[in-house]
Amino acid sequence: ASAGETKEVAKRQARYFCQLAEEIEPQLIKDPGGVGSQRLTAEVDNIRGALRYALEAGDPDLGLSLGSCIWRFWQSTDQLTEGREWLDHLLAHPKASDEARVKGLTALAGLAYWQADYDGALARYSEALDYYQSQGDRFNEADTLSSMSLTAVWNGDLETGERFATEALSILEELGYREGIARVTAAQGFLLLKQHDYAASRTSYAKAFAIARELGDQHLAITILAGVAVSTFQLGDRNEALELALEAVAEAVQLRNAHLVVWMLDLVAAFAARTAPEGATRLAGAVDCLRDEAGGGMLLEPLGLKDVRSIAAQLLSAESLERAWAEGRAMGLEQATDLARELGGAASML
């Protein structure tokens, strides 16, 4: 500072961590909670410093490049709100270029989606889609349409979701992009689930799951496995659904993706609510608190699953219900995961 080099050092620091984020992004796509995420966790204050520099120095493109590369890190480590705040500020900067903005928009849409802010996600995806179509970028057009399809269905707009899925699948099959085909096929499975065609939904999810496994994309496979579990549950096989949800929990733990773990734990609680109402209520309470701490997360209602507390209220006294809920909210993630395994073990003995 005394030598007057603060700005230059800050610029070099920001560029270094932007380059680091670009190098780590492929790792985050394949394994959001893996080695890349651990490296970013160790450098999180430096990352914040680089983003702060980008805003203060009037270099939003640098900040948007960094932020769009690491949004999956924010998602997997339950820092959704912080990630959205950085991207919101950077996108609002008047000097941001169109190329940097579109990357920031898709990253912001992804964070909004995982916070269950579907209207917010669709608005950002739509703006990005307009840009990709204007540039003739078929790959990113299809990828965005795929994301919009799933988001629209989660938002309850089945007709729009089906239209987006059809458009995306046509382009993806033309391009031969297998991962994208898996995502759209899963979106179609979700659409069928919402239409109460559970057998067809399970078939669609299973097809998408097989592609994800073939590609070695564990993160995608876990999210699709959740769909297989829900369609199985809706078909009346509670125990198999619980086994699938616990498999998803174990894989999410292996990926060190806290956000996915919480979502899968919520499924376990929903599936166990009638057979183990007290334990399921405790687990649902833990999920509720963990979701609050993360600034939001995926909910069960769009999947057609009933609220755990409303089911347990029919089977427990009001006092027992509130005590179990309070005990659950006092749990941490590790305790909640142990409880889910216990619920699975109890169910297997029924």
Side-chain angles (χ1 to χ4, degrees):
S2 62
E5 298 174 348
T6 305
K7 289 183 180 179
E8 179 59 28
V9 170
K11 181 195 295 185
R12 289 170 59 190
Q13 187 261 8
R15 288 180 176 174
Y16 170 83
F17 284 99
C18 184
Q19 182 179 348
L20 176 66
E22 290 171 355
E23 293 171 358
I24 286 176
E25 184 183 19
Q27 299 174 33
L28 295 176
I29 293 172
K30 186 175 181 180
D31 182 3
V35 175
S37 181
Q38 293 171 43
R39 179 112 186 249
L40 291 175
T41 296
E43 301 287 3
V44 68
D45 286 333
N46 281 316
I47 295 291
R48 289 172 180 147
L51 291 167
R52 193 176 301 112
Y53 165 83
L55 283 169
E56 293 174 354
D59 191 353
D61 282 16
L62 184 150
L64 287 168
S65 177
L66 196 166
S68 63
C69 286
I70 67 167
W71 78 265
R72 293 172 183 84
F73 161 71
W74 283 320
Q75 182 267 330
S76 67
T77 55
D78 275 348
Q79 300 179 73
L80 298 160
T81 299
E82 178 178 354
R84 286 188 71 174
E85 287 175 352
W86 282 116
L87 288 169
D88 272 328
H89 288 311
L90 289 160
L91 285 164
H93 200 287
K95 290 185 179 180
S97 69
D98 289 342
E99 293 81 1
R101 274 186 55 77
V102 73
K103 292 178 182 177
L105 284 166
T106 53
L108 183 56
L111 292 171
Y113 169 84
W114 284 102
Q115 279 192 312
D117 176 11
Y118 304 122
D119 287 331
L122 284 168
R124 273 72 176 192
Y125 279 135
S126 181
E127 190 175 342
L129 179 66
D130 289 342
Y131 176 80
Y132 290 132
Q133 289 176 333
S134 73
Q135 299 298 306
D137 186 340
R138 300 279 280 166
F139 176 87
N140 279 310
E141 177 187 357
D143 194 48
T144 306
L145 282 167
S146 174
S147 297
M148 292 177 75
S149 170
L150 190 58
T151 308
V153 177
W154 273 99
N155 207 31
D157 189 348
L158 306 190
E159 183 178 346
T160 300
E162 187 170 16
R163 176 168 56 83
F164 286 149
T166 301
E167 292 175 16
L169 192 57
S170 175
I171 300 171
L172 291 165
E173 287 178 342
E174 177 188 324
L175 297 174
Y177 181 45
R178 297 278 288 161
E179 182 181 341
I181 291 170
R183 292 181 185 279
V184 175
T185 304
Q188 291 174 325
F190 185 35
L191 177 65
L192 290 162
L193 183 72
K194 298 284 283 185
Q195 294 170 334
H196 309 297
D197 190 346
Y198 303 126
S201 172
R202 177 167 172 149
T203 298
S204 189
Y205 272 126
K207 181 180 177 182
F209 182 70
I211 297 173
R213 281 288 195 236
E214 175 192 323
L215 296 172
D217 191 330
Q218 192 175 8
H219 184 273
L220 178 59
I222 293 169
T223 62
I224 297 172
L225 187 58
V228 178
V230 174
S231 56
T232 299
F233 179 78
Q234 298 292 18
L235 284 167
D237 195 336
R238 191 183 308 269
N239 283 348
E240 185 182 351
L242 191 53
E243 288 177 12
L244 289 167
L246 285 166
E247 181 184 340
V249 169
E251 293 205 25
V253 169
Q254 185 181 13
L255 278 184
R256 295 172 293 278
N257 189 316
H259 198 83
L260 268 186
V261 173
V262 171
W263 184 24
M264 299 306 126
L265 290 176
D266 213 7
L267 289 181
V268 172
F271 297 160
R274 293 199 179 277
T275 54
E278 190 166 341
T281 301
R282 198 175 292 121
L283 183 56
V287 167
D288 186 66
C289 183
L290 291 165
R291 190 186 289 123
D292 285 348
E293 291 174 354
M298 308 298 280
L299 304 173
L300 296 182
E301 287 77 3
L303 293 168
L305 298 174
K306 293 183 179 178
D307 178 66
V308 172
R309 292 185 78 180
S310 65
I311 295 173
Q314 303 169 24
L315 304 167
L316 301 173
S317 68
E319 182 181 349
S320 296
L321 180 70
E322 292 308 315
R323 181 175 62 251
W325 184 261
E327 288 173 353
R329 283 191 60 86
M331 286 182 176
L333 183 59
E334 188 173 344
Q335 288 178 293
T337 305
D338 289 341
L339 174 57
R341 296 190 187 103
E342 290 174 18
L343 290 172
S348 67
M349 294 187 289
L350 293 176

